[in-house]
Amino acid sequence: KDSNVLMLGVGAESGSARILKYLTKDITIEQILLTARLLNKYDIIASYSFIIGVPTETQEEMMATLSLMKKIKQICPKSVFSGPQILRPYPGGSLYDLCIKKGFTIPDTFEEWGDVDFGKFGELSLRNYPWIKNKNLVLALSTYAPAALNYNFMKNYDFKRRIYSLISLIRLRLNFWLFPYEYKIAVKVITTLRILNLKIKKLTKNESNNAKI
């Protein structure tokens, strides 16, 4: 506080001790929880990042990450969460070669990047991750969990986000991660609205050009 620190980011990444070691994080679960206690004590907002979809990660380890996120929120109510985001393997990264061996493909040219199938939040589509067997679970955790745990902040956004965040909060309290239909419906609605918006803009532009002629 004396240094005007308002928020501190913590790259926690996983609630599994094995995955933390696998990622060479050199931290423990208890140390992550300690940061929550200290930041709460000094009234500093804690921003935690987590990832999911790591090669060899089990369903139990994914749920351990969610459990850790919930514990952090209980200890430090002002915590905000980025993720668990789906792992993005970068060339040169420690997991990149392993992901390639397990079937991950990445474009070689800028033109090929233009055809990449991205998720609606910027992540690569789960079709790029052949080692992830329970894709619905990963999709549900990566979309509903942060919306639920960040509910106190999300409720200040527009009506659609508040509703989505409330649905996510209900799922979190019920610990229900099957059938992520709300997300899929939201994606379709957003995609449709974007296409309509582009068509309207194109039509308006054409009418404006015709008027000039």
Side-chain angles (χ1 to χ4, degrees), residues 82-118:
S82 175
Q85 299 181 58
I86 299 170
L87 171 72
R88 291 189 290 271
Y90 293 111
S94 59
L95 292 179
Y96 180 75
D97 290 338
L98 176 61
C99 290
I100 293 294
K101 288 179 181 178
K102 288 188 172 290
F104 182 80
T105 57
I106 193 167
D108 294 320
T109 66
F110 286 116
E111 289 77 12
E112 290 176 355
W113 270 110
D115 296 324
V116 169
D117 183 14
F118 283 97

Side-chain angles (χ1 to χ4, degrees), residues 6-7 10-11 25 33 36 50-51 54 64 83 85 91 111 124 128 135 147-148 152 163 169 177 188-189 192 195 200:
L6 301 177
M7 178 182 285
V10 180
K25 287 295 296 180
L33 292 172
F50 286 89
I51 59 175
V54 176
Q85 299 181 58
E111 289 77 12
L124 286 167
N128 295 78
K135 289 180 169 52
N152 289 337
I163 291 297
L169 187 62
W177 307 104
K188 287 184 178 180
V189 170
T192 301
I195 291 172
I200 291 171

Side-chain angles (χ1 to χ4, degrees), residues 10-29:
V10 180
E13 313 309 0
S14 179
S16 160
R18 186 188 74 84
I19 293 295
L20 287 175
K21 185 176 181 180
Y22 189 67
L23 296 173
T24 62
K25 287 295 296 180
D26 197 27
I27 56 175
T28 65
I29 303 297

Side-chain angles (χ1 to χ4, degrees), residues 182-195:
E182 307 97 328
Y183 169 79
K184 293 179 179 180
I185 290 171
V187 166
K188 287 184 178 180
V189 170
I190 291 170
T191 302
T192 301
L193 290 175
R194 284 177 178 171
I195 291 172

Side-chain angles (χ1 to χ4, degrees), residues 119-180:
K120 298 305 172 185
F121 297 99
E123 77 281 3
L124 286 167
S125 167
L126 284 173
R127 278 175 282 197
N128 295 78
Y129 299 77
W131 61 86
I132 296 177
K133 303 306 178 186
N134 193 340
K135 289 180 169 52
N136 274 338
L137 175 64
V138 171
L139 179 63
L141 289 176
S142 65
T143 54
Y144 297 129
L149 291 168
N150 293 330
Y151 177 72
N152 289 337
F153 298 90
M154 294 285 285
K155 66 183 181 181
N156 296 320
Y157 283 77
D158 59 56
F159 179 73
K160 291 176 290 185
R161 292 191 186 186
R162 291 202 304 271
I163 291 297
Y164 187 78
S165 186
L166 180 59
I167 291 171
S168 300
L169 187 62
I170 293 171
R171 277 180 168 270
L172 180 71
R173 288 178 177 173
L174 295 176
N175 199 31
F176 182 71
W177 307 104
L178 299 175
F179 317 117

Side-chain angles (χ1 to χ4, degrees), residues 34-46 48 72-79:
L34 178 60
T35 64
R37 296 188 190 99
L38 290 174
L39 292 171
N40 184 64
K41 177 181 178 180
Y42 293 105
D43 196 29
I44 295 173
I45 296 174
Y48 289 87
I72 289 171
K73 192 69 175 180
Q74 290 172 351
I75 294 170
C76 186
K78 285 188 177 181
S79 297

